[in-house]
Amino acid sequence: MPKRSQIHRPQPNAEHRRRVYAACSECRRRRRKCDGNRPCAQCQAYGYGCAYDAENSSPQSSSEAVNASRSMETVVQRRQNRAARSASADVDDEAAAAAVTPSKLIVNRERGRFVNANSAIALPHLVGQELSAAQPLRLHSFAWNLGLRPERRGALATSLSHFLTLTDCQALSAVYFDAVHPLFAFLDPESFSRRLVQHWSTLESQPNFTAVVAMVAVLGSFFSPPARTHLREDDIKRHGLAILDFALTNPTAVDMDSVAGWILRTLYMRLTTRPAISCMASHTAMHFSEIVGLHRDVVDDATATANPAAFSNEELEARRRYFCTARFLNQLLTTEYGVSGVAPRHSNSIPAASVPGAHIEALYTMTAVLKDVEAAATAGLDSDEFTDLFRRLQDIPQANDTVSLFTADVCVALLRRFAAASSKPGPKITTTAAAILQQALASIANLLVAERTWWNMLSVPFQVICISASADSIGLLSLLPTAMELLRTMADKFGTHMVKEALATAQQVVTASRGCTDAKRAMKDAALTHAPPAADIDWSSFDTGFDMGAGEWPPVVDFFT
């Protein structure tokens, strides 16, 4: 354990002692003798935010006070009663509550870390402050356990360069930024490329960045045409995942690269395996985001003057982009899997600036819609509040096929509410949703040609079929032939059990819903022309491991009893 730095309280010599006419606010609050400096000796020793009331301020300039306050490594925020941000700031519910209820946060501005003052690691530090201990106690996990076993330490024996060359990595990175970056624009292409070249020969000395490089390469390989996928994709994936897993059981540094690695892992897991695994990866990305403090904006209305020079504008923007991406994925994946998401307390992250060639604004809109679903649904599925969610989705510029696809993914998440409530959407919602979904189906066809195989290319048309059959409205049923044709095209193109099972299940749904009006039956018959004959479906060949538990589900499931 590194030696703790000792900061002794300066004791002014009696012959140099001078009269202080105005004490700082903290010394007055705690009834301590203030020396009038900025910061004063008391605040400097015990980690207070030294400030003087304007009417009682000493002759020192305000700029000097600001510069002095910036040198404070740890600041205790005594008041959190702040006015709510503007709507564009997208303040979370927790942050809105914090604006009303006083709450204490301990802030390390040099590193952008935030921790609740009621935490165990903060207790000795705060007690030392209150007692004016001669040696201030640092923020530290004192008495965390008995220390009976050594912590696990070590490193991976293999290097990433064992599996691919720098040239390979640059080529795969180019594919990644072409396929993923237009929507999930949290990594900066220029910064990533520069770091990759600069640190390639010593990459293993930065394990967190190595994991980022590995996962970018893996995703680049995944989105490459089949003839151009990297032969060692699986080995590269294992290497990146091993580094990320290693950080969960070893005392390693947690930084922005840690968050990036888990965001990339979330994407790859959702593309390749089961929903629970991608949900857990997304939860971890959010937890790391909170540990690093990405959920808190370092520059806010009340503390802008305390922002240290350690954060450049580029770093502040990167923090916002990382948290935006992690939060959207967590909202989307937990919504589709039907579990609770991660909502960091006291979140006040604000939107990042626009990214050239990307559509990060769409992420903010979709995240806000997902966040507002519960409140809008409480007002009623036929309410103006719930209808407005579809309008907000329709207002997202559809300048990119990936944006259209994910907008539709959020749209079907809203429409699933009607099936769960045994209800049907009204004309306004039907018209708006049909327009969003029609655009997405066209985008899926384009993505198939470009071989950009996102997971929801299959799930969106499949859910469109289920929702349309349930709603049984002309507006949504008109999407059936196109959706079924896309499923059949993907079944022929990829031939996987997942696509074949989706096509066969969609056929069952449409067939079961045919007993309606002639016009609706004609639409369903047109859709069935793209399905295989029922006799050709081998249900035993499908992977039952994706089922939610063994055995038969009851005809009616009551999740609340």
Side-chain angles (χ1 to χ4, degrees):
M1 180 180 298
K3 294 183 179 180
R4 93 178 40 149
S5 58
Q6 297 186 1
I7 304 176
H8 295 286
R9 213 171 10 154
Q11 299 294 330
N13 190 298
E15 58 182 317
H16 294 98
R17 189 173 296 142
R18 60 187 173 86
R19 181 179 297 277
V20 176
Y21 293 95
C24 72
S25 57
E26 285 296 336
C27 285
R28 282 191 288 107
R29 184 185 65 80
R30 299 176 64 252
R31 298 181 181 179
R32 296 291 188 267
K33 189 172 183 63
C34 182
D35 62 12
N37 291 325
R38 296 179 181 267
C40 71
Q42 289 278 349
C43 290
Q44 189 172 29
Y46 301 118
Y48 295 119
C50 189
Y52 291 81
D53 292 341
E55 64 272 17
N56 296 324
S57 180
S58 66
Q60 280 183 288
S61 68
S62 60
S63 62
E64 181 182 353
V66 171
N67 291 334
S69 67
R70 288 179 178 175
S71 66
M72 300 297 296
E73 178 180 352
T74 308
V75 179
V76 180
Q77 293 180 318
R78 294 293 177 181
R79 295 173 179 87
Q80 291 288 323
N81 286 338
R82 297 186 181 135
R85 283 189 180 278
S86 61
S88 62
D90 186 24
V91 181
D92 285 352
D93 293 338
E94 291 284 355
V100 177
T101 306
S103 177
K104 295 179 180 178
L105 292 176
I106 291 182
V107 184
N108 182 319
R109 298 194 182 284
E110 294 294 333
R111 301 177 65 193
R113 302 298 177 86
F114 297 78
V115 65
N116 283 302
N118 58 10
S119 64
I121 64 172
L123 177 63
H125 177 74
L126 295 178
V127 171
Q129 287 180 336
E130 294 299 324
L131 299 178
S132 296
Q135 181 174 312
L137 298 173
R138 61 197 174 107
L139 282 171
H140 179 68
S141 53
F142 293 107
W144 203 250
N145 57 44
L146 294 173
L148 301 179
R149 295 291 184 273
E151 291 181 318
R152 180 188 176 193
R153 297 181 183 273
L156 298 181
T158 309
S159 65
L160 183 61
S161 59
H162 181 73
F163 304 115
L164 79 169
T165 66
L166 175 59
T167 302
D168 291 339
C169 195
Q170 290 173 319
L172 294 173
S173 300
V175 176
Y176 166 87
F177 283 107
D178 184 61
V180 179
H181 184 72
L183 183 59
F184 301 105
F186 65 103
L187 292 176
D188 179 69
E190 293 183 4
S191 176
F192 176 85
S193 300
R194 184 170 58 252
R195 289 181 67 188
L196 178 63
V197 174
Q198 183 178 353
H199 300 291
W200 179 257
S201 59
T202 58
L203 202 56
E204 303 308 319
S205 65
Q206 302 181 51
N208 292 341
F209 182 58
T210 303
V212 173
V213 172
M215 298 311 297
V216 165
V218 165
L219 285 166
S221 178
F222 180 88
F223 283 108
S224 295
R228 297 181 183 176
T229 57
H230 199 279
L231 296 177
R232 304 295 296 272
E233 178 184 321
D234 194 57
D235 293 323
I236 300 169
K237 176 199 70 175
R238 292 177 185 275
H239 188 78
L241 297 185
I243 295 174
L244 295 174
D245 289 338
F246 196 75
L248 297 178
T249 57
N250 289 264
T252 56
V254 177
D255 53 21
M256 295 276 285
D257 288 332
S258 305
V259 179
W262 281 93
I263 291 174
L264 295 166
R265 179 175 185 157
T266 300
L267 289 170
Y268 189 78
M269 292 297 101
R270 186 59 185 85
L271 286 162
T272 59
T273 188
R274 308 178 187 220
I277 298 175
S278 57
C279 270
M280 289 187 290
S282 177
H283 287 340
T284 306
M286 284 296 290
H287 289 310
F288 274 133
S289 295
E290 184 176 17
I291 290 172
V292 179
L294 303 187
H295 65 303
R296 293 286 301 180
D297 210 72
V298 178
V299 178
D300 59 23
D301 294 340
T303 60
T305 58
N307 179 44
F311 282 103
S312 66
N313 185 63
E314 290 75 13
E315 289 170 321
L316 292 172
E317 288 296 325
R319 291 169 63 86
R320 294 160 187 159
R321 293 196 306 270
Y322 278 49
F323 185 67
C324 167
T325 306
R327 181 172 56 171
F328 169 72
L329 286 172
N330 191 249
Q331 291 259 19
L332 179 67
L333 300 186
T334 55
T335 297
E336 73 173 0
Y337 193 47
V339 296
S340 300
V342 177
R345 298 179 62 192
H346 310 294
S347 176
N348 72 339
S349 179
I350 65 176
S354 298
V355 178
H359 307 274
I360 196 168
E361 298 86 354
L363 284 190
Y364 282 105
T365 301
M366 288 187 276
T367 302
V369 167
L370 289 170
K371 185 174 75 69
D372 294 342
V373 168
E374 291 297 335
T378 301
L381 298 182
D382 58 348
S383 66
D384 291 339
E385 291 87 345
F386 199 77
T387 303
D388 187 61
L389 298 179
F390 291 88
R391 181 197 58 77
R392 288 159 63 184
L393 290 177
Q394 190 177 34
D395 288 344
I396 296 175
Q398 305 295 306
N400 179 273
D401 289 326
T402 306
V403 174
S404 299
L405 175 61
F406 278 86
T407 302
D409 207 347
V410 177
C411 182
V412 296
L414 303 182
L415 291 171
R416 289 197 298 265
R417 296 268 175 166
F418 291 95
S422 299
S423 179
K424 299 183 186 300
K428 288 184 179 179
I429 290 179
T430 297
T431 301
T432 306
I436 294 171
L437 298 176
Q438 186 174 31
Q439 173 67 44
L441 295 179
S443 293
I444 292 172
N446 296 336
L447 290 167
L448 279 170
V449 173
E451 297 186 306
R452 297 291 188 249
T453 47
W454 288 101
W455 69 80
N456 32 18
M457 290 170 58
L458 178 63
S459 62
V460 164
F462 175 77
Q463 292 184 70
V464 164
I465 292 169
C466 295
I467 290 168
S468 299
S470 173
D472 203 44
S473 64
I474 294 293
L476 290 174
L477 286 174
S478 65
L479 303 173
L480 280 181
T482 304
M484 189 70 83
E485 182 180 8
L486 283 171
L487 292 187
R488 184 56 184 262
T489 300
M490 285 185 274
D492 294 339
K493 182 179 179 65
F494 303 116
T496 64
H497 77 277
M498 295 290 286
V499 183
K500 291 179 179 179
E501 182 184 41
L503 176 61
T505 305
Q507 177 190 0
Q508 274 196 324
V509 169
V510 176
T511 301
S513 67
R514 287 182 68 251
C516 301
T517 65
D518 291 339
K520 294 178 180 179
R521 186 183 302 113
M523 294 178 184
K524 295 171 184 178
D525 288 343
L528 289 173
T529 61
H530 301 288
D536 295 342
I537 302 174
D538 181 10
W539 292 98
S540 64
S541 67
F542 300 137
D543 186 358
T544 57
F546 279 81
D547 292 345
M548 294 290 291
E552 294 295 329
W553 285 69
V556 178
V557 182
D558 187 350
F559 291 96
F560 302 98
T561 60

